[in-house]
Amino acid sequence: MSDPEGDTRTSGGTRSAPRRAVAGEVRDAVSFRTFLLIVGVLLLQMGFILSYVGAFHDPSPHRLSVRVAGPEAAADRMVDRINALPDEPLRARTAPDPRAAREALTSGETAGVYVLRPSEPADRLLLATAGGSAKAEAVRSVLGGMAARQGRQLEVSDVVPVQSGDSRGLTGFYLVVGWTVGGYLVAALLGVSRGALPANPSRAAIRLVSVAVYAVLSGLGGALVVGPLLGALTGHPVRLWLLGALLVFAAAAVTMALQVLFGVVGIGLTVLLFVVLGNPSAGGAYAPELLPAFWREISTALPNGAGTDAVRNIVYFGSHHVTGDVLVIAAYALGGTVVALLGAVLRARRAPVPAPAREDDGTAHGKHHRQE
């Protein structure tokens, strides 16, 4: 029975029409697909919190490399004592002489050098804060404690300090963050504005060329900002430019590949890879050797960690050990490019063939003639 206002009542007297209307509005406003995307965002948010807090809440050194130089017998005993420490905070090796040990430090092969001087009241500890201030402080803390327990003094020298504009050695990390963010954002923007799935291989190739041009400009811009503009990382603009261009293109190519494979969900997977996993493991605030095992293991296997390590090696350690980092980033760039192009090819093959246009039988012409 309907009331004068037209509301439909059930036998119990409740109003069912408004409820159905509200339910319909909810379904229209939030589709099942949208609901699933919201759940995905929630999981991504929780993953972000878990990853960052999990990586940074309790940093502790794990097998930080150090060299010990001095009289052979004394150096061997010191190495044994260091390697026997609980939880293996350091991993020591002997060096032929102090000069060889110092070269290992300045090339980035080791985090510290302990020089034994039995005939003098103090031993020496050489550090490289440019490799990460937290890492250098961890080496100082462990070896300083050992020296104190043996009744020895310890003279500490920073052999490879950070540049004056590079506070706590974090500029390289933030530079890499900027490059990767730019790379995946430009690819995501192209996907959102023109469709996540390129219509054909030609359009996929055009997108890749477009992001390559963007990568070159972005790499140059980043190198100029941290170098001539701010004076944070000086002296290596061309190498930083090339590294930045490769890193930006790798991030963009991977984003395109994930969009081709998973559509708009690919953007979320990109955030998972570069932000949730990549940033906390990259070695910014804490070197990988100070992170828990999971983040330590994935660090240089992701573009973020490889890029941060490469920037530091270029600026502070004579570009030693850069090749491996560049190969990792290049692998992502190549893999993303191949997947994006192959995905576009397969999609073009699966696309339905349009029906041929019907021949004009003259009817339309006749109608036009009668209208005239």
Side-chain angles (χ1 to χ4, degrees):
M1 178 178 180
S2 301
D3 63 14
E5 295 179 356
D7 290 337
T8 302
R9 297 178 181 273
T10 64
S11 59
T14 59
R15 300 174 183 269
S16 59
R19 292 182 179 179
R20 287 196 297 270
V22 171
E25 290 292 336
V26 171
R27 286 194 297 271
D28 289 340
V30 183
S31 65
F32 183 68
R33 180 173 180 271
T34 302
F35 172 75
L36 291 179
L37 289 175
I38 292 173
V39 172
V41 171
L42 176 62
L43 293 175
L44 199 62
Q45 177 185 352
M46 294 301 101
F48 182 97
I49 297 171
L50 174 63
S51 185
Y52 277 72
V53 176
F56 299 148
H57 79 289
D58 186 24
S60 57
H62 178 77
R63 291 196 169 197
L64 282 168
S65 172
V66 296
R67 298 285 194 274
V68 178
E72 183 176 355
D76 289 338
R77 287 194 299 270
M78 187 63 181
V79 165
D80 291 339
R81 284 195 292 267
I82 292 174
N83 291 338
L85 290 171
D87 300 325
E88 300 182 290
L90 306 179
R91 197 65 181 172
R93 292 169 49 191
T94 58
D97 53 63
R99 180 178 179 181
R102 186 186 180 99
E103 289 177 355
L105 182 65
T106 57
S107 65
E109 293 181 11
T110 190
V113 172
Y114 197 109
V115 182
L116 296 169
R117 300 188 294 185
S119 61
E120 300 183 27
D123 296 326
R124 291 192 67 196
L125 176 60
L126 309 182
L127 298 174
T129 56
S133 58
K135 180 163 66 173
E137 182 56 36
V139 174
R140 181 205 300 261
S141 176
V142 174
L143 294 181
M146 291 186 66
R149 288 192 295 272
Q150 296 171 16
R152 299 284 296 173
Q153 297 180 10
L154 195 61
E155 297 177 356
V156 181
S157 300
D158 188 1
V159 176
V160 189
V162 296
Q163 295 184 10
S164 58
D166 184 14
S167 176
R168 296 185 62 81
L170 292 175
T171 300
F173 167 69
Y174 289 120
L175 176 61
V176 169
V177 169
W179 277 332
T180 54
V181 167
Y184 70 70
L185 280 183
V186 71
L189 179 63
L190 287 173
V192 170
S193 63
R194 304 301 299 174
L197 304 177
N200 53 56
S202 297
R203 292 188 182 180
I206 291 172
R207 286 192 189 182
L208 287 167
V209 171
S210 300
V211 298
V213 173
Y214 175 89
V216 171
L217 296 175
S218 178
L220 176 60
L224 292 177
V225 167
V226 301
L229 182 60
L230 298 179
L233 299 176
T234 61
H236 309 272
V238 175
R239 292 183 182 183
L240 290 179
W241 174 16
L242 296 177
L243 176 67
L246 178 62
L247 189 59
V248 173
F249 181 77
V254 169
T255 304
M256 285 186 61
L258 291 175
Q259 286 179 301
V260 167
L261 293 176
F262 304 104
V264 69
V265 176
I267 298 177
L269 295 176
T270 300
V271 174
L272 174 65
L273 179 67
F274 290 111
V275 179
V276 174
L277 297 177
N279 284 347
S281 64
Y286 297 105
E289 297 92 338
L290 274 66
L291 300 178
F294 173 75
W295 291 269
R296 185 169 64 241
E297 294 299 326
I298 68 173
S299 178
T300 53
L302 296 178
N304 310 58
T308 302
D309 192 55
V311 169
R312 285 176 174 160
N313 284 331
I314 288 172
V315 175
Y316 292 114
F317 298 105
S319 295
H320 289 88
H321 316 295
V322 170
T323 302
D325 296 324
V326 170
L327 289 177
V328 169
I329 302 170
Y332 279 89
L334 178 61
T337 300
V338 171
V339 171
L341 291 175
L342 285 179
V345 170
L346 294 176
R347 184 169 184 267
R349 289 180 178 177
R350 290 196 302 264
V353 178
R358 291 181 298 177
E359 295 183 1
D360 188 359
D361 58 2
T363 305
H365 176 72
K367 289 181 180 179
H368 179 69
H369 179 71
R370 285 194 298 272
Q371 289 174 356
E372 291 178 346

